[in-house]
Amino acid sequence: MNNYHTHTFRCGHGAGDEEDIVLAARNMGMQELGFSEHVPLPYYRLFMLKSALHCFFDFHSFLSFVKAMLLNGQGMRMPYPMKKIHESTVSKLKRKYQQDIRIYQGYECEYFPGYISYYQKMLKNRNIDYLILGNHFDKYPVHQYYYGKKRLSDDMLRDYRDHMIAAMETGLFSYVAHPDLFLMGREHFDDLCQEVTYDICLAAKRLNIPLELNAGGIRKGLCEKDGRLVFPYANDYFFEIAGKVENDIVLGIDAHHPDHFNQNVIEQLYQIVDRHHLHIIEKIEMKGI
């Protein structure tokens, strides 16, 4: 198996440095490993200031805002000043472990329209090998706009779908990470959830973009939805439809700790693959090479 969804301590909510992660992946027998930190954003504090008026009436959003302003992203994404250090470290590890494992440099990105040109520039300049779409937030990275929050509204769910499709249509992303994240915030898999799922899967099929079956939700454990035990993401309701649409599927460990490279979670991913007859692809397109 290969894994292209990997984080380190630099994102502020992970553990282990780049070499710790490489060794864990190598020891598990991985052939290819991609680093995909939550993309460091230039002028992040200025970007966050635009969200200030939206934060004061929601306690958790206010805390997110304050933390981002104080730490310049740490806790949610790699601070921009760490970018060169991280990329230099990954470059050295590529050479050091080239006989054992192939290593790639990528980032996991939100659909923030103001940063699309920045993403394009990174790929065009070949600073990185690939980008993945990790659509966590609508507009600003604070709790109020988090797509996985409890009681996700119908309007936000429609925004999630629309922004997801718009992001895929940019052609920048090698695949879509945890496309079913929104199901964390929906008590039932209702008609709108089904509609949104079909819209995302059909768009991904049309644009030839793989969808990720993500192990991060498996680590959160099973939950009950409409009388059925499912994972909050890597969700059976979503991937039953993805199987019918015949989407290409990428397996992603979404590692935030060296210990996340373990065979147990891989076996659980493959159980979902078998259950819904999913078409797995082992290698992704490297748009920056």
Side-chain angles (χ1 to χ4, degrees), residues 117-158:
S117 61
Y118 168 60
Y119 302 161
Q120 290 171 328
K121 184 177 179 181
M122 285 194 293
L123 286 172
K124 183 178 180 180
N125 292 348
R126 302 187 184 279
N127 296 337
I128 59 172
D129 301 314
Y130 70 103
L131 297 173
I132 62 177
L133 175 63
N135 206 25
H136 303 85
F137 296 98
D138 177 12
K139 299 182 182 70
Y140 304 109
V142 293
H143 180 266
Q144 184 177 351
Y145 293 116
Y146 178 48
Y147 285 127
K149 69 178 181 180
K150 291 183 179 179
R151 293 178 293 278
L152 185 70
S153 71
D154 288 355
D155 286 343
M156 276 196 71
L157 180 50
R158 292 186 183 98

mmCIF file of all heavy atoms in Angstrom, residues 117-158:
data_model
loop_
_atom_site.group_PDB
_atom_site.id
_atom_site.type_symbol
_atom_site.label_atom_id
_atom_site.label_comp_id
_atom_site.label_asym_id
_atom_site.label_seq_id
_atom_site.Cartn_x
_atom_site.Cartn_y
_atom_site.Cartn_z
ATOM 1 N N SER A 117 -4.479 30.992 -6.492
ATOM 2 C CA SER A 117 -3.287 31.363 -7.274
ATOM 3 C C SER A 117 -2.006 30.931 -6.558
ATOM 4 O O SER A 117 -1.012 30.576 -7.210
ATOM 5 C CB SER A 117 -3.266 32.863 -7.545
ATOM 6 O OG SER A 117 -3.218 33.606 -6.336
ATOM 7 N N TYR A 118 -2.023 30.949 -5.234
ATOM 8 C CA TYR A 118 -0.879 30.471 -4.441
ATOM 9 C C TYR A 118 -0.677 28.974 -4.645
ATOM 10 O O TYR A 118 0.452 28.511 -4.851
ATOM 11 C CB TYR A 118 -1.136 30.805 -2.971
ATOM 12 C CG TYR A 118 -0.238 30.156 -1.956
ATOM 13 C CD1 TYR A 118 1.138 30.351 -1.964
ATOM 14 C CD2 TYR A 118 -0.790 29.353 -0.947
ATOM 15 C CE1 TYR A 118 1.950 29.768 -1.001
ATOM 16 C CE2 TYR A 118 0.007 28.770 0.013
ATOM 17 C CZ TYR A 118 1.383 28.978 -0.014
ATOM 18 O OH TYR A 118 2.173 28.391 0.945
ATOM 19 N N TYR A 119 -1.767 28.214 -4.647
ATOM 20 C CA TYR A 119 -1.666 26.781 -4.907
ATOM 21 C C TYR A 119 -1.119 26.537 -6.317
ATOM 22 O O TYR A 119 -0.240 25.679 -6.520
ATOM 23 C CB TYR A 119 -3.039 26.110 -4.798
ATOM 24 C CG TYR A 119 -3.758 26.252 -3.479
ATOM 25 C CD1 TYR A 119 -5.139 26.022 -3.410
ATOM 26 C CD2 TYR A 119 -3.107 26.594 -2.293
ATOM 27 C CE1 TYR A 119 -5.835 26.135 -2.219
ATOM 28 C CE2 TYR A 119 -3.796 26.722 -1.105
ATOM 29 C CZ TYR A 119 -5.166 26.486 -1.067
ATOM 30 O OH TYR A 119 -5.852 26.609 0.106
ATOM 31 N N GLN A 120 -1.644 27.286 -7.291
ATOM 32 C CA GLN A 120 -1.183 27.131 -8.680
ATOM 33 C C GLN A 120 0.305 27.400 -8.803
ATOM 34 O O GLN A 120 1.029 26.681 -9.500
ATOM 35 C CB GLN A 120 -1.964 28.089 -9.588
ATOM 36 C CG GLN A 120 -3.424 27.729 -9.775
ATOM 37 C CD GLN A 120 -4.200 28.820 -10.493
ATOM 38 O OE1 GLN A 120 -3.913 30.006 -10.357
ATOM 39 N NE2 GLN A 120 -5.208 28.415 -11.262
ATOM 40 N N LYS A 121 0.760 28.435 -8.115
ATOM 41 C CA LYS A 121 2.178 28.812 -8.193
ATOM 42 C C LYS A 121 3.073 27.716 -7.625
ATOM 43 O O LYS A 121 4.134 27.421 -8.190
ATOM 44 C CB LYS A 121 2.407 30.126 -7.450
ATOM 45 C CG LYS A 121 3.828 30.663 -7.559
ATOM 46 C CD LYS A 121 3.958 32.007 -6.852
ATOM 47 C CE LYS A 121 5.384 32.540 -6.944
ATOM 48 N NZ LYS A 121 5.515 33.842 -6.246
ATOM 49 N N MET A 122 2.666 27.115 -6.506
ATOM 50 C CA MET A 122 3.484 26.048 -5.923
ATOM 51 C C MET A 122 3.648 24.885 -6.893
ATOM 52 O O MET A 122 4.742 24.322 -7.030
ATOM 53 C CB MET A 122 2.863 25.559 -4.606
ATOM 54 C CG MET A 122 3.056 26.494 -3.447
ATOM 55 S SD MET A 122 2.670 25.720 -1.851
ATOM 56 C CE MET A 122 0.899 25.482 -2.018
ATOM 57 N N LEU A 123 2.566 24.504 -7.570
ATOM 58 C CA LEU A 123 2.647 23.406 -8.538
ATOM 59 C C LEU A 123 3.448 23.816 -9.766
ATOM 60 O O LEU A 123 4.291 23.055 -10.261
ATOM 61 C CB LEU A 123 1.245 22.968 -8.954
ATOM 62 C CG LEU A 123 0.441 22.158 -7.936
ATOM 63 C CD1 LEU A 123 -0.986 21.974 -8.431
ATOM 64 C CD2 LEU A 123 1.079 20.808 -7.655
ATOM 65 N N LYS A 124 3.202 25.015 -10.267
ATOM 66 C CA LYS A 124 3.876 25.476 -11.483
ATOM 67 C C LYS A 124 5.381 25.574 -11.285
ATOM 68 O O LYS A 124 6.168 25.228 -12.181
ATOM 69 C CB LYS A 124 3.322 26.838 -11.907
ATOM 70 C CG LYS A 124 3.916 27.374 -13.200
ATOM 71 C CD LYS A 124 3.277 28.703 -13.588
ATOM 72 C CE LYS A 124 3.888 29.230 -14.876
ATOM 73 N NZ LYS A 124 3.270 30.539 -15.267
ATOM 74 N N ASN A 125 5.798 26.043 -10.109
ATOM 75 C CA ASN A 125 7.227 26.190 -9.818
ATOM 76 C C ASN A 125 7.880 24.871 -9.419
ATOM 77 O O ASN A 125 9.077 24.829 -9.151
ATOM 78 C CB ASN A 125 7.439 27.214 -8.705
ATOM 79 C CG ASN A 125 7.086 28.618 -9.133
ATOM 80 O OD1 ASN A 125 6.896 28.877 -10.318
ATOM 81 N ND2 ASN A 125 6.986 29.532 -8.180
ATOM 82 N N ARG A 126 7.064 23.802 -9.348
ATOM 83 C CA ARG A 126 7.544 22.478 -8.982
ATOM 84 C C ARG A 126 8.201 22.460 -7.594
ATOM 85 O O ARG A 126 9.146 21.694 -7.342
ATOM 86 C CB ARG A 126 8.504 21.933 -10.049
ATOM 87 C CG ARG A 126 7.862 21.854 -11.436
ATOM 88 C CD ARG A 126 8.758 21.167 -12.451
ATOM 89 N NE ARG A 126 8.174 21.189 -13.787
ATOM 90 C CZ ARG A 126 7.241 20.364 -14.236
ATOM 91 N NH1 ARG A 126 6.789 19.421 -13.434
ATOM 92 N NH2 ARG A 126 6.791 20.454 -15.462
ATOM 93 N N ASN A 127 7.690 23.315 -6.713
ATOM 94 C CA ASN A 127 8.148 23.269 -5.322
ATOM 95 C C ASN A 127 7.618 22.030 -4.618
ATOM 96 O O ASN A 127 8.179 21.581 -3.609
ATOM 97 C CB ASN A 127 7.654 24.506 -4.563
ATOM 98 C CG ASN A 127 8.234 25.797 -5.094
ATOM 99 O OD1 ASN A 127 9.291 25.793 -5.716
ATOM 100 N ND2 ASN A 127 7.547 26.896 -4.863
ATOM 101 N N ILE A 128 6.510 21.519 -5.141
ATOM 102 C CA ILE A 128 5.844 20.378 -4.526
ATOM 103 C C ILE A 128 5.457 19.391 -5.622
ATOM 104 O O ILE A 128 5.468 19.714 -6.814
ATOM 105 C CB ILE A 128 4.592 20.819 -3.747
ATOM 106 C CG1 ILE A 128 3.603 21.538 -4.673
ATOM 107 C CG2 ILE A 128 4.965 21.690 -2.562
ATOM 108 C CD1 ILE A 128 2.279 21.839 -4.028
ATOM 109 N N ASP A 129 5.103 18.184 -5.195
ATOM 110 C CA ASP A 129 4.726 17.131 -6.141
ATOM 111 C C ASP A 129 3.221 17.058 -6.367
ATOM 112 O O ASP A 129 2.783 16.678 -7.459
ATOM 113 C CB ASP A 129 5.224 15.773 -5.629
ATOM 114 C CG ASP A 129 6.735 15.739 -5.453
ATOM 115 O OD1 ASP A 129 7.441 16.202 -6.364
ATOM 116 O OD2 ASP A 129 7.204 15.274 -4.389
ATOM 117 N N TYR A 130 2.432 17.386 -5.347
ATOM 118 C CA TYR A 130 0.985 17.213 -5.467
ATOM 119 C C TYR A 130 0.257 18.004 -4.398
ATOM 120 O O TYR A 130 0.851 18.435 -3.389
ATOM 121 C CB TYR A 130 0.597 15.737 -5.370
ATOM 122 C CG TYR A 130 0.774 15.145 -3.974
ATOM 123 C CD1 TYR A 130 -0.321 14.941 -3.139
ATOM 124 C CD2 TYR A 130 2.035 14.787 -3.485
ATOM 125 C CE1 TYR A 130 -0.169 14.403 -1.872
ATOM 126 C CE2 TYR A 130 2.188 14.240 -2.228
ATOM 127 C CZ TYR A 130 1.088 14.053 -1.416
ATOM 128 O OH TYR A 130 1.242 13.524 -0.158
ATOM 129 N N LEU A 131 -1.038 18.200 -4.614
ATOM 130 C CA LEU A 131 -1.954 18.773 -3.633
ATOM 131 C C LEU A 131 -3.154 17.850 -3.496
ATOM 132 O O LEU A 131 -3.584 17.234 -4.473
ATOM 133 C CB LEU A 131 -2.459 20.150 -4.078
ATOM 134 C CG LEU A 131 -1.433 21.262 -4.237
ATOM 135 C CD1 LEU A 131 -2.105 22.497 -4.843
ATOM 136 C CD2 LEU A 131 -0.778 21.621 -2.909
ATOM 137 N N ILE A 132 -3.695 17.760 -2.287
ATOM 138 C CA ILE A 132 -4.969 17.082 -2.093
ATOM 139 C C ILE A 132 -5.967 18.080 -1.528
ATOM 140 O O ILE A 132 -5.596 19.037 -0.844
ATOM 141 C CB ILE A 132 -4.861 15.827 -1.196
ATOM 142 C CG1 ILE A 132 -4.381 16.178 0.220
ATOM 143 C CG2 ILE A 132 -3.943 14.801 -1.826
ATOM 144 C CD1 ILE A 132 -4.335 14.974 1.147
ATOM 145 N N LEU A 133 -7.230 17.876 -1.844
ATOM 146 C CA LEU A 133 -8.295 18.753 -1.379
ATOM 147 C C LEU A 133 -8.849 18.211 -0.070
ATOM 148 O O LEU A 133 -9.425 17.125 -0.035
ATOM 149 C CB LEU A 133 -9.408 18.832 -2.432
ATOM 150 C CG LEU A 133 -10.658 19.612 -2.036
ATOM 151 C CD1 LEU A 133 -10.335 21.080 -1.785
ATOM 152 C CD2 LEU A 133 -11.743 19.471 -3.106
ATOM 153 N N GLY A 134 -8.647 18.970 1.004
ATOM 154 C CA GLY A 134 -9.231 18.629 2.295
ATOM 155 C C GLY A 134 -10.179 19.747 2.698
ATOM 156 O O GLY A 134 -9.758 20.731 3.304
ATOM 157 N N ASN A 135 -11.436 19.613 2.353
ATOM 158 C CA ASN A 135 -12.408 20.695 2.479
ATOM 159 C C ASN A 135 -13.042 20.656 3.866
ATOM 160 O O ASN A 135 -14.097 20.056 4.064
ATOM 161 C CB ASN A 135 -13.462 20.545 1.380
ATOM 162 C CG ASN A 135 -14.121 21.853 1.010
ATOM 163 O OD1 ASN A 135 -13.537 22.912 1.198
ATOM 164 N ND2 ASN A 135 -15.326 21.788 0.480
ATOM 165 N N HIS A 136 -12.405 21.338 4.827
ATOM 166 C CA HIS A 136 -12.889 21.325 6.210
ATOM 167 C C HIS A 136 -13.772 22.517 6.549
ATOM 168 O O HIS A 136 -14.632 22.418 7.421
ATOM 169 C CB HIS A 136 -11.718 21.349 7.197
ATOM 170 C CG HIS A 136 -10.735 20.240 7.047
ATOM 171 N ND1 HIS A 136 -9.688 20.283 6.149
ATOM 172 C CD2 HIS A 136 -10.627 19.055 7.690
ATOM 173 C CE1 HIS A 136 -8.974 19.172 6.245
ATOM 174 N NE2 HIS A 136 -9.524 18.404 7.172
ATOM 175 N N PHE A 137 -13.539 23.652 5.892
ATOM 176 C CA PHE A 137 -14.150 24.906 6.329
ATOM 177 C C PHE A 137 -14.792 25.664 5.171
ATOM 178 O O PHE A 137 -14.282 25.686 4.055
ATOM 179 C CB PHE A 137 -13.103 25.818 6.981
ATOM 180 C CG PHE A 137 -12.503 25.263 8.242
ATOM 181 C CD1 PHE A 137 -11.278 24.614 8.220
ATOM 182 C CD2 PHE A 137 -13.164 25.377 9.454
ATOM 183 C CE1 PHE A 137 -10.715 24.101 9.374
ATOM 184 C CE2 PHE A 137 -12.612 24.867 10.618
ATOM 185 C CZ PHE A 137 -11.389 24.219 10.581
ATOM 186 N N ASP A 138 -15.887 26.323 5.495
ATOM 187 C CA ASP A 138 -16.570 27.217 4.576
ATOM 188 C C ASP A 138 -16.151 28.652 4.921
ATOM 189 O O ASP A 138 -16.465 29.137 6.001
ATOM 190 C CB ASP A 138 -18.081 27.042 4.728
ATOM 191 C CG ASP A 138 -18.881 27.982 3.854
ATOM 192 O OD1 ASP A 138 -18.289 28.617 2.963
ATOM 193 O OD2 ASP A 138 -20.108 28.082 4.059
ATOM 194 N N LYS A 139 -15.422 29.306 4.046
ATOM 195 C CA LYS A 139 -14.986 30.706 4.169
ATOM 196 C C LYS A 139 -13.765 30.873 5.076
ATOM 197 O O LYS A 139 -12.711 31.317 4.635
ATOM 198 C CB LYS A 139 -16.110 31.618 4.656
ATOM 199 C CG LYS A 139 -17.323 31.673 3.740
ATOM 200 C CD LYS A 139 -18.356 32.646 4.309
ATOM 201 C CE LYS A 139 -19.605 32.678 3.450
ATOM 202 N NZ LYS A 139 -20.373 31.422 3.543
ATOM 203 N N TYR A 140 -13.923 30.548 6.363
ATOM 204 C CA TYR A 140 -12.839 30.809 7.316
ATOM 205 C C TYR A 140 -12.635 29.597 8.237
ATOM 206 O O TYR A 140 -13.611 28.939 8.615
ATOM 207 C CB TYR A 140 -13.162 32.040 8.171
ATOM 208 C CG TYR A 140 -13.439 33.280 7.361
ATOM 209 C CD1 TYR A 140 -14.729 33.807 7.285
ATOM 210 C CD2 TYR A 140 -12.419 33.914 6.659
ATOM 211 C CE1 TYR A 140 -14.994 34.941 6.534
ATOM 212 C CE2 TYR A 140 -12.670 35.048 5.905
ATOM 213 C CZ TYR A 140 -13.961 35.562 5.841
ATOM 214 O OH TYR A 140 -14.216 36.668 5.087
ATOM 215 N N PRO A 141 -11.379 29.346 8.627
ATOM 216 C CA PRO A 141 -11.107 28.167 9.464
ATOM 217 C C PRO A 141 -11.387 28.407 10.945
ATOM 218 O O PRO A 141 -10.487 28.415 11.783
ATOM 219 C CB PRO A 141 -9.617 27.912 9.201
ATOM 220 C CG PRO A 141 -9.057 29.238 8.842
ATOM 221 C CD PRO A 141 -10.146 29.983 8.142
ATOM 222 N N VAL A 142 -12.642 28.618 11.255
ATOM 223 C CA VAL A 142 -13.093 28.723 12.642
ATOM 224 C C VAL A 142 -14.286 27.778 12.818
ATOM 225 O O VAL A 142 -14.920 27.365 11.843
ATOM 226 C CB VAL A 142 -13.498 30.175 13.010
ATOM 227 C CG1 VAL A 142 -12.276 31.092 12.992
ATOM 228 C CG2 VAL A 142 -14.576 30.704 12.070
ATOM 229 N N HIS A 143 -14.591 27.464 14.073
ATOM 230 C CA HIS A 143 -15.569 26.413 14.367
ATOM 231 C C HIS A 143 -16.920 26.678 13.713
ATOM 232 O O HIS A 143 -17.595 25.746 13.251
ATOM 233 C CB HIS A 143 -15.738 26.282 15.880
ATOM 234 C CG HIS A 143 -16.713 25.229 16.285
ATOM 235 N ND1 HIS A 143 -18.051 25.501 16.532
ATOM 236 C CD2 HIS A 143 -16.573 23.893 16.449
ATOM 237 C CE1 HIS A 143 -18.678 24.386 16.849
ATOM 238 N NE2 HIS A 143 -17.811 23.397 16.810
ATOM 239 N N GLN A 144 -17.343 27.927 13.678
ATOM 240 C CA GLN A 144 -18.651 28.265 13.123
ATOM 241 C C GLN A 144 -18.803 27.785 11.675
ATOM 242 O O GLN A 144 -19.901 27.474 11.230
ATOM 243 C CB GLN A 144 -18.833 29.782 13.187
ATOM 244 C CG GLN A 144 -20.193 30.281 12.732
ATOM 245 C CD GLN A 144 -20.304 31.781 12.904
ATOM 246 O OE1 GLN A 144 -19.448 32.407 13.512
ATOM 247 N NE2 GLN A 144 -21.371 32.360 12.373
ATOM 248 N N TYR A 145 -17.686 27.698 10.961
ATOM 249 C CA TYR A 145 -17.719 27.330 9.555
ATOM 250 C C TYR A 145 -17.153 25.930 9.292
ATOM 251 O O TYR A 145 -16.831 25.604 8.160
ATOM 252 C CB TYR A 145 -16.945 28.358 8.727
ATOM 253 C CG TYR A 145 -17.604 29.723 8.710
ATOM 254 C CD1 TYR A 145 -16.975 30.819 9.267
ATOM 255 C CD2 TYR A 145 -18.864 29.900 8.145
ATOM 256 C CE1 TYR A 145 -17.576 32.067 9.252
ATOM 257 C CE2 TYR A 145 -19.474 31.137 8.125
ATOM 258 C CZ TYR A 145 -18.822 32.221 8.681
ATOM 259 O OH TYR A 145 -19.440 33.457 8.658
ATOM 260 N N TYR A 146 -17.047 25.122 10.334
ATOM 261 C CA TYR A 146 -16.483 23.782 10.187
ATOM 262 C C TYR A 146 -17.544 22.835 9.633
ATOM 263 O O TYR A 146 -18.645 22.731 10.179
ATOM 264 C CB TYR A 146 -15.977 23.283 11.543
ATOM 265 C CG TYR A 146 -15.413 21.888 11.543
ATOM 266 C CD1 TYR A 146 -14.496 21.475 10.581
ATOM 267 C CD2 TYR A 146 -15.791 20.979 12.526
ATOM 268 C CE1 TYR A 146 -13.975 20.199 10.589
ATOM 269 C CE2 TYR A 146 -15.266 19.692 12.553
ATOM 270 C CZ TYR A 146 -14.365 19.310 11.580
ATOM 271 O OH TYR A 146 -13.841 18.029 11.584
ATOM 272 N N TYR A 147 -17.215 22.125 8.570
ATOM 273 C CA TYR A 147 -18.173 21.246 7.920
ATOM 274 C C TYR A 147 -18.452 19.971 8.717
ATOM 275 O O TYR A 147 -19.415 19.266 8.437
ATOM 276 C CB TYR A 147 -17.674 20.859 6.524
ATOM 277 C CG TYR A 147 -17.797 21.959 5.497
ATOM 278 C CD1 TYR A 147 -16.689 22.354 4.749
ATOM 279 C CD2 TYR A 147 -19.012 22.585 5.250
ATOM 280 C CE1 TYR A 147 -16.796 23.351 3.790
ATOM 281 C CE2 TYR A 147 -19.123 23.586 4.290
ATOM 282 C CZ TYR A 147 -18.016 23.967 3.570
ATOM 283 O OH TYR A 147 -18.121 24.947 2.624
ATOM 284 N N GLY A 148 -17.610 19.665 9.696
ATOM 285 C CA GLY A 148 -17.836 18.463 10.487
ATOM 286 C C GLY A 148 -18.485 18.719 11.832
ATOM 287 O O GLY A 148 -18.604 17.807 12.651
ATOM 288 N N LYS A 149 -18.930 19.968 12.047
ATOM 289 C CA LYS A 149 -19.516 20.285 13.350
ATOM 290 C C LYS A 149 -20.881 19.612 13.509
ATOM 291 O O LYS A 149 -21.531 19.231 12.530
ATOM 292 C CB LYS A 149 -19.663 21.795 13.493
ATOM 293 C CG LYS A 149 -20.719 22.417 12.593
ATOM 294 C CD LYS A 149 -20.835 23.916 12.844
ATOM 295 C CE LYS A 149 -21.906 24.536 11.946
ATOM 296 N NZ LYS A 149 -22.026 25.984 12.174
ATOM 297 N N LYS A 150 -21.339 19.472 14.748
ATOM 298 C CA LYS A 150 -22.649 18.886 15.019
ATOM 299 C C LYS A 150 -23.741 19.789 14.462
ATOM 300 O O LYS A 150 -23.617 21.012 14.421
ATOM 301 C CB LYS A 150 -22.842 18.686 16.522
ATOM 302 C CG LYS A 150 -21.947 17.608 17.123
ATOM 303 C CD LYS A 150 -22.253 17.415 18.594
ATOM 304 C CE LYS A 150 -21.375 16.312 19.188
ATOM 305 N NZ LYS A 150 -21.649 16.118 20.633
ATOM 306 N N ARG A 151 -24.810 19.159 14.022
ATOM 307 C CA ARG A 151 -25.983 19.868 13.496
ATOM 308 C C ARG A 151 -25.601 20.778 12.329
ATOM 309 O O ARG A 151 -25.923 21.968 12.303
ATOM 310 C CB ARG A 151 -26.688 20.640 14.607
ATOM 311 C CG ARG A 151 -27.321 19.729 15.661
ATOM 312 C CD ARG A 151 -27.978 20.513 16.771
ATOM 313 N NE ARG A 151 -26.998 21.236 17.576
ATOM 314 C CZ ARG A 151 -26.305 20.690 18.551
ATOM 315 N NH1 ARG A 151 -26.459 19.401 18.856
ATOM 316 N NH2 ARG A 151 -25.451 21.401 19.245
ATOM 317 N N LEU A 152 -24.910 20.212 11.382
ATOM 318 C CA LEU A 152 -24.573 20.936 10.166
ATOM 319 C C LEU A 152 -25.854 21.293 9.426
ATOM 320 O O LEU A 152 -26.683 20.425 9.146
ATOM 321 C CB LEU A 152 -23.672 20.064 9.278
ATOM 322 C CG LEU A 152 -23.119 20.714 8.013
ATOM 323 C CD1 LEU A 152 -22.071 21.768 8.362
ATOM 324 C CD2 LEU A 152 -22.507 19.646 7.098
ATOM 325 N N SER A 153 -26.029 22.558 9.093
ATOM 326 C CA SER A 153 -27.271 23.006 8.480
ATOM 327 C C SER A 153 -27.365 22.564 7.024
ATOM 328 O O SER A 153 -26.361 22.253 6.373
ATOM 329 C CB SER A 153 -27.368 24.533 8.544
ATOM 330 O OG SER A 153 -26.437 25.127 7.651
ATOM 331 N N ASP A 154 -28.588 22.586 6.505
ATOM 332 C CA ASP A 154 -28.796 22.250 5.094
ATOM 333 C C ASP A 154 -28.045 23.223 4.191
ATOM 334 O O ASP A 154 -27.455 22.820 3.178
ATOM 335 C CB ASP A 154 -30.283 22.281 4.752
ATOM 336 C CG ASP A 154 -31.060 21.119 5.348
ATOM 337 O OD1 ASP A 154 -30.437 20.229 5.954
ATOM 338 O OD2 ASP A 154 -32.300 21.107 5.198
ATOM 339 N N ASP A 155 -28.050 24.502 4.535
ATOM 340 C CA ASP A 155 -27.364 25.499 3.706
ATOM 341 C C ASP A 155 -25.866 25.254 3.667
ATOM 342 O O ASP A 155 -25.237 25.351 2.605
ATOM 343 C CB ASP A 155 -27.649 26.909 4.225
ATOM 344 C CG ASP A 155 -29.065 27.385 3.906
ATOM 345 O OD1 ASP A 155 -29.709 26.771 3.022
ATOM 346 O OD2 ASP A 155 -29.521 28.351 4.545
ATOM 347 N N MET A 156 -25.288 24.940 4.828
ATOM 348 C CA MET A 156 -23.847 24.668 4.839
ATOM 349 C C MET A 156 -23.522 23.394 4.072
ATOM 350 O O MET A 156 -22.477 23.298 3.427
ATOM 351 C CB MET A 156 -23.319 24.580 6.275
ATOM 352 C CG MET A 156 -22.981 25.927 6.874
ATOM 353 S SD MET A 156 -21.954 25.800 8.370
ATOM 354 C CE MET A 156 -20.386 25.279 7.686
ATOM 355 N N LEU A 157 -24.412 22.410 4.132
ATOM 356 C CA LEU A 157 -24.189 21.169 3.391
ATOM 357 C C LEU A 157 -24.208 21.440 1.886
ATOM 358 O O LEU A 157 -23.375 20.911 1.136
ATOM 359 C CB LEU A 157 -25.230 20.126 3.776
ATOM 360 C CG LEU A 157 -25.132 18.766 3.082
ATOM 361 C CD1 LEU A 157 -23.722 18.198 3.153
ATOM 362 C CD2 LEU A 157 -26.128 17.790 3.689
ATOM 363 N N ARG A 158 -25.127 22.282 1.454
ATOM 364 C CA ARG A 158 -25.152 22.645 0.027
ATOM 365 C C ARG A 158 -23.886 23.418 -0.356
ATOM 366 O O ARG A 158 -23.336 23.224 -1.447
ATOM 367 C CB ARG A 158 -26.400 23.464 -0.270
ATOM 368 C CG ARG A 158 -27.707 22.674 -0.144
ATOM 369 C CD ARG A 158 -28.902 23.500 -0.603
ATOM 370 N NE ARG A 158 -30.151 22.770 -0.409
ATOM 371 C CZ ARG A 158 -30.952 22.950 0.649
ATOM 372 N NH1 ARG A 158 -30.632 23.833 1.593
ATOM 373 N NH2 ARG A 158 -32.069 22.241 0.766
#
